[in-house]
Each structure stands twice: as C-alpha cells, then as structure tokens.
Amino acid sequence: METPNAPREVERLTFTEIAERIAERGYTPISKQRVAQLAHDSPDWPVPQEEWKKVGKAVQIPWDERLDTYFATRDTKSGPRGPRSGSTGPRDPDRVPDAEVAEALGIPIETVPRLHPRPRAKKWYRADLEEVRRNPPPWVGNAAAARAEAERLDAQSQRRRAALQRSQGTPDS
C-alpha cells in the first residue's frame, strides 16, 4: 500500500535519453550533445547540478515537470528559422519522427538521419520507411551495423567534400 505523502520515485535520464524523450514528445529534436550543452551552459536549465547523479561516465538527471515545461517553452520560442508552431507533432503528417524510425527499424536514434535511403535527405517520411521495410539493408535491427554504416557514410561524405574543395581550389602554376 502506498502512503499518500510518500516521496514519488523520480525517473532519471541520461542526456541521450533526454534527447530521445524530447523527440518522442514531439518537441523540436535535438542531439544528446545539445542537451548536455544546455544542461551545463543554459541559465534557464531548470534542474540544478546538485540533483544530477553520476553513474559511471554518464550523468542522470531527474525528468519531471520542470524539464517537460522547459522543453515545451523552448519549443515555442523563435529560433533561427522563425517562430515554431508549438504543435506537439511533426508539421507534415507524412513525416516520421526519428524516434519512431529508430524503433521501427531497431537502430539507435542518433543514426536515423545518417542512414536515410536518399543520401542528402535528413527527414524521414512514411514512404522512406516503407521503402526500407520492403528492401531492408543489413543494418536494420542491428545497432552495431547501423553505427558502422553511418560512420562509413560520414567518411564517404567527408571524402567527397574534400575532393570538391580540392577541385575548386586555385591550380598551382
């Protein structure tokens, strides 16, 4: 039997889990690195470091109404692309949030934009997800393979950029 005045167990989340929670709730997605930056540097961050818990190399922060309110408020403020809609879902009904793609394909959320079937696209749509389900690449359902493929694609992209920069440079005469 639960005592009415007993303290409620607070859910503790890492920066990665906070980034995933933000996406799941329909707020503007941000990376775990950006969450960490906000937590350390933002004067508006609602959870003081005294409440953080160090677990190995990770930090766990209590997720409660303070963080929910912080990200909901932050999501409605104007940003570099203008005012945000404040809606709780993606703007385009055919757009699939990264968290949903990650869950559907069994891959880490941070690899989702990097493993898009159209190399220059970063946002997933229902048609993209269906295409990958019809013809699944080897990394579907395998986190290690998804990370390896994302790293391979990143390296390939960097090589292409470097080659383009060399080709646009001034020739030595």
Side-chain angles (χ1 to χ4, degrees), residues 2-36:
E2 195 173 296
T3 312
N5 294 331
R8 194 176 96 234
E9 184 66 30
V10 177
E11 184 178 16
R12 294 184 168 276
L13 303 178
T14 64
F15 294 135
T16 301
E17 293 166 332
I18 291 172
E20 291 169 355
R21 174 75 52 92
I22 291 164
E24 288 167 3
R25 300 254 168 123
Y27 302 139
T28 303
I30 61 175
S31 67
K32 67 180 179 185
Q33 292 85 357
R34 180 68 177 135
V35 172

Side-chain angles (χ1 to χ4, degrees), residues 90 92-101 123-127 129:
D92 185 338
D94 288 334
R95 172 131 187 267
V96 182
D98 288 355
E100 189 176 324
V101 174
K123 296 177 182 174
W124 284 72
Y125 291 87
R126 301 250 173 250
L129 188 55

Side-chain angles (χ1 to χ4, degrees), residues 42-169:
S42 174
D44 298 330
W45 185 260
V47 182
Q49 288 189 2
E50 295 80 39
E51 295 183 38
W52 300 9
K53 183 178 177 183
K54 185 92 167 147
V55 179
K57 292 183 179 181
V59 172
Q60 292 182 330
I61 298 175
W63 179 277
D64 56 24
E65 65 280 344
R66 295 175 296 176
L67 281 178
D68 212 7
T69 302
Y70 174 78
F71 286 108
T73 303
R74 187 177 178 279
D75 209 48
T76 59
K77 291 181 181 175
S78 292
R81 295 184 182 146
R84 297 187 180 118
S85 67
S87 70
T88 58
R91 289 186 182 107
D92 185 338
D94 288 334
R95 172 131 187 267
V96 182
D98 288 355
E100 189 176 324
V101 174
E103 186 176 325
L105 299 179
I107 60 175
I109 192 167
E110 70 271 9
T111 63
V112 169
R114 296 157 51 202
L115 294 174
H116 198 286
R118 291 176 287 123
R120 293 185 188 219
K122 297 296 178 199
K123 296 177 182 174
W124 284 72
Y125 291 87
R126 301 250 173 250
D128 300 323
L129 188 55
E130 290 308 314
E131 177 185 332
V132 170
R133 283 182 173 153
R134 275 193 306 274
N135 301 309
W139 46 261
V140 170
N142 184 331
R147 284 189 184 96
E149 179 65 5
E151 289 170 12
R152 185 189 72 77
L153 292 170
D154 289 346
Q156 181 183 46
S157 177
Q158 288 174 351
R159 286 192 302 272
R160 284 184 180 148
R161 272 195 301 271
L164 180 62
Q165 287 175 344
R166 284 192 305 271
S167 71
Q168 292 176 343

